Amino acid sequence: MFIIGELINGMYKNVGQAIRKRDKSIIQEIALKQIEAGVDALDLNCGPLSENPLEDMCWLVETVQEVVDKPLCLDSSKPRIIEAGLKIIKNKAIINSTSADLEKLEILVDLAKRYNAKLIGLTLSSKGVPQNKEQRLELAAEIVAYCSREDFSIEDLYLDPVVLPINVAQDRQRDILDSIQEFKVISEPPPKTIVGLSNISQGASQRPLLNRTFITMAISFGLDAAILNPLDNELINAIITSELILNRQIYCESFLKAYRKR
Ligand code: THG
């Protein structure tokens, strides 16, 4: 499982405030804590309230890079912000994300190729969130077809079915899990799959229980990667145990080491 730490997101009050005040120490501490927990990469998101998202993103990249030597995941819906981040990232970058819209694919697949970055493709379009599995697969196939045509390696493509909160979309969850499995048959070699895990429990009580139950199920449907809170120990234990039971290759060595130490 490829794990991306979600905690550097302006959606969190302390992070939003640290970004506004240009308080490096808070951001660097959150970065290091996630690295210690064994993440493979760090998501960087200025949050919905950022007034200068381009400057904020560049400041986040520079601040985190001072203390961390791991891939960074540029989380923004605006291609110009992603490009600004790519220009200053020293390590490998992950573009988070493109949608299935052609205007976005054109810009972001080109950027991913030029900067040798991985690319997350949301199965979303300007028409909105897909209402069922078939629509998700159609959008996924459009993203894969575009990447193949442009010679972007499908193994560097992570398809995201877009996890919806359980409290507004209880009847959609089974479709989302099935999509994770079915994305794999779109091409050979297959694309990878990813979810933003905490979406499932937004606005719900029992968030940790929902998160770890969902990830356990998603792993059994073949999930490759997740953006999540790596400081939730029970969540990490559930991931390790799921992969152990499925005898899946664990590509996150540090989690495996953590498990063996117990
Ligand atoms: N797919 C991809 N990228 C993503 C998402 C996705 N990036 C953003 C998001 N979804 C994943 N990251 C988060 C980070 C935080 C929360 C949810 C998803 C979260 N935050 C608290 C809340 O909203 O309740 C913040 C409040 C607080 O604690 O201060 O839940 O799906 N590719």
Side-chain angles (χ1 to χ4, degrees):
M1 185 79 163
F2 188 85
I3 306 240
I4 305 176
E6 75 177 6
L7 295 176
I8 303 182
N9 188 318
M11 205 198 277
Y12 292 104
K13 258 197 202 127
N14 59 335
V15 174
Q17 210 167 46
I19 295 172
R20 274 191 301 281
K21 291 187 178 160
R22 293 290 185 257
D23 183 342
K24 280 190 183 181
S25 62
I26 289 188
I27 301 296
Q28 291 175 339
E29 189 187 318
I30 299 169
L32 288 170
K33 269 196 190 149
Q34 295 184 88
I35 297 295
E36 249 168 66
V39 298
D40 301 287
L42 292 174
D43 192 68
L44 304 180
N45 184 319
C46 313
L49 299 176
S50 168
E51 283 170 16
N52 297 302
L54 197 143
E55 289 76 13
D56 287 356
M57 182 62 91
C58 290
W59 178 79
L60 278 179
V61 169
E62 278 159 3
T63 300
V64 170
Q65 262 181 181
E66 280 178 19
V67 293
V68 162
D69 189 27
K70 286 267 182 188
L72 300 180
C73 179
L74 296 164
D75 191 347
S76 167
S77 57
K78 307 231 162 52
R80 64 183 185 89
I81 295 173
I82 299 216
E83 181 164 19
L86 287 169
K87 282 185 181 152
I88 54 173
I89 287 187
K90 296 181 193 138
N91 233 312
K92 191 141 176 128
I94 303 162
I95 295 175
N96 186 12
S97 51
T98 182
S99 64
D101 292 313
L102 193 57
E103 316 89 85
K104 277 221 164 158
L105 281 167
E106 279 172 358
I107 302 172
L108 292 163
V109 172
D110 176 61
L111 284 175
K113 279 164 62 181
R114 282 199 279 131
Y115 287 90
N116 191 25
K118 296 186 185 194
L119 177 64
I120 298 175
L122 301 181
T123 53
L124 273 183
S125 73
S126 49
K127 290 181 207 138
V129 182
Q131 294 303 306
N132 55 45
K133 192 172 70 183
E134 287 68 32
Q135 289 174 5
R136 267 199 186 80
L137 271 159
E138 210 173 290
L139 294 170
E142 284 170 21
I143 296 171
V144 170
Y146 186 86
C147 289
S148 305
R149 205 178 326 130
E150 296 299 316
D151 279 325
F152 178 74
S153 166
I154 299 302
E155 281 154 296
D156 285 333
L157 175 66
Y158 287 77
L159 290 176
D160 184 334
V162 188
V163 170
L164 303 169
I166 189 93
N167 64 357
V168 298
Q170 192 183 336
D171 59 348
R172 293 287 143 74
Q173 303 303 327
R174 175 67 206 223
D175 258 10
I176 292 171
L177 291 167
D178 283 336
S179 302
I180 291 169
Q181 191 167 52
E182 292 175 25
F183 287 168
K184 290 282 174 188
V185 299
I186 293 175
S187 76
E188 185 52 48
K192 294 197 168 69
T193 52
I194 188 166
V195 295
L197 179 65
S198 303
N199 301 8
I200 182 102
S201 61
Q202 274 180 317
S205 60
Q206 305 289 336
R207 292 196 69 173
L209 177 60
L210 275 167
N211 292 343
R212 67 180 183 267
T213 304
F214 185 85
I215 197 106
T216 301
M217 297 177 77
I219 289 170
S220 75
F221 280 74
L223 185 71
D224 297 294
I227 303 169
L228 53 73
N229 175 4
L231 306 187
D232 178 345
N233 277 324
E234 292 307 310
L235 174 61
I236 299 307
N237 288 344
I239 292 170
I240 294 166
T241 312
S242 302
E243 297 212 296
L244 182 73
I245 290 168
L246 290 172
N247 195 25
R248 265 180 55 165
Q249 180 199 352
I250 296 178
Y251 32 119
C252 178
E253 267 299 307
S254 42
F255 281 123
L256 189 59
K257 279 188 211 128
Y259 175 78
R260 284 185 173 147
K261 267 191 215 141
R262 287 200 196 126

